[in-house]
Amino acid sequence: MMEVKRKLTSRKLWVALIGFVSAVLMAYDAAPETIEKTVSVIMAGGVLVSYILAEGWIDASREQAEETLVETEITNE
């Protein structure tokens, strides 16, 4: 699962996706405005996915740290 998260937050993945989609749109003679809008949507999706995964990782790390702190307090009593 961590491998998938790492791949989805990879800038290289999003740039490759934009390059592929742009090339396909150009091959089918799409208007430049259409290509620009499509690239913008893909980039927005990349930012959203990265944000969601980063927040999930932060929340999981915080929860794990809190559990460790509670276990340490219980052990020290």
Side-chain angles (χ1 to χ4, degrees):
M1 185 63 172
M2 286 301 288
E3 184 68 22
V4 173
K5 288 181 184 179
R6 193 173 58 111
K7 293 285 185 189
L8 287 176
T9 57
S10 166
R11 289 175 289 179
K12 293 175 188 174
L13 170 72
W14 293 104
V15 170
L17 181 62
I18 288 170
F20 175 76
V21 171
S22 298
V24 169
L25 290 173
M26 284 197 266
Y28 286 101
D29 294 323
E33 296 82 23
T34 302
I35 296 171
E36 289 173 4
K37 288 178 184 178
T38 304
V39 167
S40 295
V41 169
I42 293 170
M43 286 304 296
V47 168
L48 181 64
V49 168
S50 296
Y51 175 78
I52 290 169
L53 291 175
E55 285 299 313
W57 180 74
I58 289 168
D59 291 345
S61 296
R62 183 181 302 125
E63 187 174 311
Q64 184 179 15
E66 288 173 358
E67 288 176 6
T68 303
L69 181 61
V70 169
E71 289 174 2
T72 303
E73 288 175 355
I74 291 171
T75 305
N76 290 338
E77 289 182 356

